[in-house]
Amino acid sequence: MWKKLAIVLLVVLLLVGGVVTYLWLQVTALPDWYTELAQEGAPAAAEDAGGKLQWQPAEGQAGRKELRNFHRKAARSSPEVKEVIKASRATFEDGRLEAGVVADLRKLPQDKLSGDQQGLFERARQSFPSLTERDVYIGVEDPSPIVKDGRVTMGPSARVKIGKFTYALDSAAQKLGMTPDQLRGELEKNMRELGVEAPN
């Protein structure tokens, strides 16, 4: 009897271990485009004469527009951005937006964060421990963003993406101890600060 129980427990343990490993790999996965855009010689997003970032057609993908390494514009005036964000990309296709960065949050200068930002970082660290131990992809995907006067507002179906794992905005906000509106506002503010505006 005890041998059968031991085998059942071993199988359960292996299954649980497999699920945990799978989830870990999903959360810590980096996007395919990261290697190319993280190189120092990889181009930053194009800018017009007024310094506004310009969406470019994606190579070989009709109807798709991209902003590559959009964070580099913000890094000119904020050295912390250059230290923390290694690569960034936004895509817009058929009304669907995905924007994200690969970041090393170990290099986030916590002494320069406001009290609210420090609290948010601590809650994020507790909810998603892997975020602060390695390079991680953090982004947002929205199948129906609201575009008005050149600004992008998150639609009702927006999702937060960490690695390959996606969270409904409400779930991510709850994990971070925020309301969905607060998280939506933070995401929109960060995109604006990094220069991501609606494509033409």
Side-chain angles (χ1 to χ4, degrees), residues 163-182:
K164 291 184 178 179
F165 202 75
T166 57
Y167 293 89
L169 202 85
D170 291 2
S171 298
Q174 184 178 16
K175 277 184 158 289
L176 294 170
M178 306 170 77
T179 68
D181 286 342
Q182 287 171 324

Side-chain angles (χ1 to χ4, degrees), residues 80-81 83-84 105-113 118:
E80 294 86 20
V81 170
E83 286 294 312
V84 175
L105 297 182
R106 293 169 291 196
K107 296 187 177 179
L108 190 67
Q110 294 184 43
D111 59 325
K112 294 187 179 179
L113 298 177
Q118 286 178 352

